[in-house]
């Protein structure tokens, strides 16, 4: 089975083709990605109108290149999938409309994919993982812990009350003058820093439940920054490292609580998966690995390029749905908001 996937929900324009064989083999046949980072960098964040126009300018060529790289014609596809939410509506419309047009022209089914589900199922593409597993989904827009029980069956244990962790990393980077996107810049600066120099809060740590809050951490970082008479490179590295350490402690604490809930609900589960852009962070990965080991779980994070936004994950989620007999109508309307826990259309 072969599926073309399209990702345009934020600032990456991407297309990919994945396939799966009868022997449960899984391959990415082709993938192309254009990052709009340089177009948004002058504004310090993603500008929705620029993103939508940029997707529109590039998507057709990117899809053509992907199909050429895969050596396939549309007739050889089994379905065409696009991220249809949550995300920036302009970009979602560009991707979903293009996918619908291709589906109609080629007579292939269209699949409207929840971008969060695509992140959630990536470990099945990369590691052939079985259900159920515990997922920490940490991206620029979301921070949540959930049990992934099946395609379309997600049990939410907790999510952020305010900022997503990726957003907090991006704001920290902006404060520290490290540029955009912030996550990788903070991780890099933190390498040379002392994580114990600034004692920043670990929001909600020690409290029951698996919820998150990052606005207090963000404010504490700003206070520590403003209390310094002049901020040199050493200070910046120490602030970045202290921020990252607080993020790691918080994730570890909340994930440990979620493990207990997961054990109760899914005693057969053996794996903790981290997905989403923030899961590309090596320091956080190392910390989550420890949490998993303490609780006798294996830890998996997809390779970096499949943690951040990409089209292979969209194509894969499409393939998973297609082989369960699901597809969507061409009247499906992209959804700027689309909580994963409501993606429960499979019994
Ligand atoms: O999943 P993603 O590519 O897009 C969304 O769906 O949001 O995640 C992007 C987010 C950004 O906030 C970015 O700063 C963060 O992931 N990120 C990181 C790292 N790489 C990307 N955060 C921390 N450390 C990283 N290495
Ligand atoms: Zn994402």
């Amino acid at each position: 089975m072969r599926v073309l996937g399209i990702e345009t929900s934020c600032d990456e324009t991407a297309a990919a083709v994945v396939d799966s064989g009868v022997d449960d083999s899984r391959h990415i046949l082709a993938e192309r990605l254009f990052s709009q980072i340089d177009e948004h960098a002058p504004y310090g964040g993603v500008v929705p109108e620029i993103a939508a126009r940029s997707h529109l300018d590039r998507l057709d060529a990117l899809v053509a290149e992907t199909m050429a790289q895969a050596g396939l014609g549309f007739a050889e596809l089994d379905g065409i999938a696009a991220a249809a939410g949550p995300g920036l509506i302009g970009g979602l419309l560009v991707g979903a409309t293009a996918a619908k047009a291709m589906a109609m022209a080629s007579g292939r089914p269209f699949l409207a994919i929840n971008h969060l589900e695509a992140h959630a199922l990536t470990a099945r593409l990369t590691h052939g993982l079985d259900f159920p597993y515990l997922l920490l989904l940490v991206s620029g827009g979301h921070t949540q812990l959930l049990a992934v029980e099946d395609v379309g069956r997600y049990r939410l244990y907790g999510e952020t009350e305010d900022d997503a962790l990726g957003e907090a990393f991006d704001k920290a980077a902006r404060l520290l003058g490290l540029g955009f996107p912030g996550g990788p810049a903070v991780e890099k600066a933190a390498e040379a820093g002392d994580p114990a120099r600034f004692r920043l809060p670990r929001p909600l740590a020690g409290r029951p439940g698996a919820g998150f809050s990052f606005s207090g951490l963000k404010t504490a970082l700003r206070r520590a920054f403003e209390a310094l008479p002049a901020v040199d490179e050493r200070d910046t590295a120490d602030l970045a490292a202290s921020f990252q350490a607080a993020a790691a402690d918080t994730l570890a604490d909340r994930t440990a609580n979620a493990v207990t809930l997961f054990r109760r609900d899914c005693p057969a589960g053996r794996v903790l998966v981290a997905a989403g852009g923030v899961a590309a962070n090596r320091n956080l990965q190392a910390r989550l690995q420890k949490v998993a080991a303490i609780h006798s779980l294996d830890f998996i994070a997809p390779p970096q390029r499949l943690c951040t936004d990409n089209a292979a994950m969209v194509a894969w989620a499409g393939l998973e749905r297609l082989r369960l007999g699901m597809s969507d109508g061409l009247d499906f309307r992209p959804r700027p908001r689309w909580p994963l826990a409501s993606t429960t259309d499979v019994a």
Side-chain angles (χ1 to χ4, degrees):
M1 202 170 243
R2 293 195 189 106
V3 175
L4 168 68
I6 290 173
E7 163 59 42
T8 55
S9 66
C10 191
D11 60 344
E12 329 277 357
T13 315
V17 179
V18 300
D19 88 343
S20 74
V22 276
D23 55 349
D24 202 32
S25 61
R26 310 159 312 276
H27 306 280
I28 300 174
L29 298 183
E31 52 183 328
R32 297 278 298 138
L33 182 142
F34 176 82
S35 169
Q36 304 173 1
I37 282 175
D38 292 344
E39 290 165 51
H40 300 289
Y43 307 95
V46 178
V47 182
E49 290 77 8
I50 293 176
R53 184 154 295 278
S54 183
H55 289 306
L56 191 59
D57 287 345
R58 292 214 172 69
L59 185 59
D60 284 353
L62 220 61
V63 168
E65 288 164 23
T66 304
M67 294 300 286
Q69 193 181 330
L72 296 174
F74 282 93
E76 293 162 281
L77 295 174
D78 296 287
I80 299 173
L88 300 172
I89 189 65
L92 293 171
L93 280 166
V94 171
T97 306
K100 287 176 188 176
M102 288 182 262
M104 191 152 87
S106 61
R108 295 289 175 268
F110 164 70
L111 297 121
I113 300 301
N114 182 312
H115 176 92
L116 302 175
E117 177 169 68
H119 278 301
L121 298 177
T122 303
R124 287 170 53 78
L125 166 65
T126 57
H127 292 74
L129 197 59
D130 288 329
F131 297 118
Y133 48 91
L134 178 63
L135 175 74
L136 170 66
L137 179 56
V138 270
S139 71
H142 297 87
T143 304
Q144 46 191 244
L145 278 155
L146 43 136
V148 179
E149 298 180 345
D150 205 338
V151 175
R153 245 178 57 212
Y154 308 95
R155 190 189 294 261
L156 185 66
Y157 291 132
E159 61 187 329
T160 183
E161 293 168 5
D162 39 59
D163 291 351
L165 185 52
E167 195 180 348
F169 265 93
D170 291 335
K171 287 176 181 167
R174 201 188 298 192
L175 174 73
L176 300 178
L178 294 172
F180 169 85
V186 171
E187 181 177 11
K188 179 132 201 14
E191 277 168 20
D194 172 8
R197 172 156 164 218
F198 298 95
R199 189 64 207 160
L200 301 174
R202 273 65 174 155
L204 300 179
R207 302 245 212 106
F212 296 92
S213 166
F214 292 106
S215 68
L217 173 58
K218 184 183 65 186
T219 308
L221 182 73
R222 176 171 294 281
R223 292 227 178 88
F225 175 86
E226 285 169 354
L228 295 168
V231 180
D232 63 17
E233 215 171 300
R234 162 101 264 138
D235 298 326
T236 302
D238 292 346
L239 284 163
S242 301
F243 172 85
Q244 192 172 258
D249 282 351
T250 306
L251 288 185
D253 178 272
R254 312 316 286 161
T255 303
N257 287 354
V259 170
T260 307
L261 300 169
F262 177 63
R263 278 262 153 72
R264 177 199 66 192
D265 297 334
C266 305
R270 293 278 169 273
V271 181
L272 167 66
V273 175
V278 183
N281 184 299
R282 304 265 168 208
N283 188 277
L284 300 181
Q285 280 188 11
R287 193 55 192 280
L288 291 165
Q289 174 103 52
K290 277 192 197 151
V291 174
I294 289 168
H295 295 90
S296 308
L297 296 178
D298 288 333
F299 175 72
I300 285 178
Q304 179 157 352
R305 75 175 206 291
L306 298 175
C307 272
T308 50
D309 287 350
N310 67 89
M313 68 177 189
V314 176
W316 176 256
L319 191 151
E320 292 242 36
R321 295 194 146 249
L322 197 59
R323 67 187 179 188
L324 292 173
M326 294 185 268
S327 66
D328 295 283
L330 296 181
D331 58 350
F332 188 99
R333 294 169 66 162
R335 303 172 181 172
R337 295 176 57 80
W338 187 1
L340 185 55
S342 77
T343 313
T344 49
D345 49 354
V346 181

